[in-house]
């Protein structure tokens, strides 16, 4: 259950940061922010940011036990 919560929070944080940085027109170097088209919807996404955010929230959930 902790992993599911971590994935959700990691996705939210990744989407918010990627939209803010990606809308400025930069890929932010190692964050590798990319414009992704899903049908008619275009959004910014970053896999490294998603994985690091998920790991951070999973570690925080383990510390709360």
């Amino acid at each position: 259950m902790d992993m599911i919560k971590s994935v959700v929070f990691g996705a939210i944080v990744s989407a918010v940061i990627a939209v803010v940085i990606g809308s400025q027109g930069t890929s932010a170097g190692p964050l590798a922010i990319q414009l992704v088209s899903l049908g008619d919807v275009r959004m910014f996404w970053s896999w490294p940011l998603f994985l690091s955010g998920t790991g951070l929230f999973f570690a925080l959930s383990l510390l709360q036990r």
Side-chain angles (χ1 to χ4, degrees):
M1 189 65 173
D2 288 337
M3 190 61 176
I4 295 172
K5 291 179 188 177
S6 301
V7 167
V8 170
F9 285 126
I12 292 170
V13 167
S14 177
V16 168
I17 292 175
V19 164
V20 170
I21 294 175
S23 65
Q24 302 296 320
T26 182
S27 66
L31 292 181
I33 296 174
Q34 303 170 5
L35 183 62
V36 178
S37 296
L38 300 171
D40 293 335
V41 178
R42 292 177 18 178
M43 62 179 275
F44 292 99
W45 187 252
S46 170
W47 283 109
L49 191 57
F50 169 71
L51 295 175
S52 61
T54 300
L56 174 69
F57 285 113
F58 186 69
L60 288 174
S61 68
L62 290 179
L63 285 173
Q64 290 179 352
R65 286 185 175 196

